[in-house]
Amino acid sequence: PTPSPSWVRLFVNVGRKDKVGTKDLVGALTRELGLPREALGRIEVREGFSLLNVSPESVDRVLTGLARVTIRGRRVSARRDRES
């Protein structure tokens, strides 16, 4: 088995107030962007935003791909989390 990647944390502008849950984000990443589940780490859905952990190889794909996606009617934008 391959060692688990060191995750990169991304900030996403949708959260609980947008009625977005973990399943919505996982669905967008796997179905819309074709990301393998192994590329996804911990997902935290907070009130006004979400934090995603993704593998380093998939960061660019997620950042550019999510810009074209809407989740529950909201345009999604993502960027590297400032804390990471």
Side-chain angles (χ1 to χ4, degrees):
T2 56
S4 66
S6 54
W7 301 106
V8 176
R9 197 149 114 179
L10 303 179
F11 172 95
V12 183
N13 70 332
V14 292
R16 277 197 297 267
K17 72 173 173 49
D18 305 300
K19 306 206 177 359
V20 169
T22 307
K23 285 182 180 152
D24 298 307
L25 291 165
V26 170
L29 294 165
T30 57
R31 284 197 304 275
E32 306 280 330
L33 306 185
L35 224 58
R37 266 197 201 280
E38 303 77 62
L40 299 179
R42 186 164 173 211
I43 297 177
E44 291 176 57
V45 180
R46 307 258 177 99
E47 189 58 29
F49 62 93
S50 300
L51 296 170
L52 310 177
N53 286 336
V54 299
S55 65
E57 307 78 54
S58 55
V59 170
D60 292 336
R61 188 167 163 192
V62 171
L63 292 177
T64 56
L66 279 180
R68 297 189 302 267
V69 171
T70 56
I71 299 177
R72 298 203 179 271
R74 282 279 321 253
R75 290 287 298 154
V76 179
S77 70
R79 60 172 165 73
R80 286 176 183 265
D81 186 41
R82 291 195 181 105
E83 293 170 25
S84 55

